[in-house]
Amino acid sequence: MKWYRELYVGDKARRRQGEIVAAVSEGRQLRDVYLLTLPCNPVNTLEIVPAWNFRQKILRDRTPMVIGLADGYREALALTETIIADTCRETGGTRVCDYISGRESL
């Protein structure tokens, strides 16, 4: 899996960020943890995916870059708002993929 170097992390998830990242990377079962990824479909802005989806190595290998980590669905929604707001503030638009790709290449 590829993790965004400036990973967005929700307040609840921040307390156990290292544990969550390690568990997801190893394919361990996690409940109520969500990853925000760049979309597979270019029409979408972001994708909110339950961490348990990544138990299989092939899915971890094929996942677009993980840019956010949330403990609970509500926190995932709030984090999505933050990411989109940052994108709008910095670029004047909502093209999160372009914004993240530009920051990742700095």
Side-chain angles (χ1 to χ4, degrees), residues 2 6 31 36 63 69 75 102:
K2 184 170 182 177
E6 296 179 38
R31 296 183 69 203
L36 283 70
T63 298
L69 185 63
E75 187 167 81

Side-chain angles (χ1 to χ4, degrees), residues 35-39 45-49 54 63-68:
L35 305 181
L36 283 70
T37 69
L38 294 178
T45 302
L46 289 172
E47 293 185 9
I48 300 173
V49 185
F54 301 104
T63 298
M65 183 186 307
V66 177
I67 61 170

Side-chain angles (χ1 to χ4, degrees), residues 31 37 46 52 73 77 79 88:
R31 296 183 69 203
T37 69
L46 289 172
W52 58 263
Y73 192 72
L77 293 175
L79 212 50
C88 285

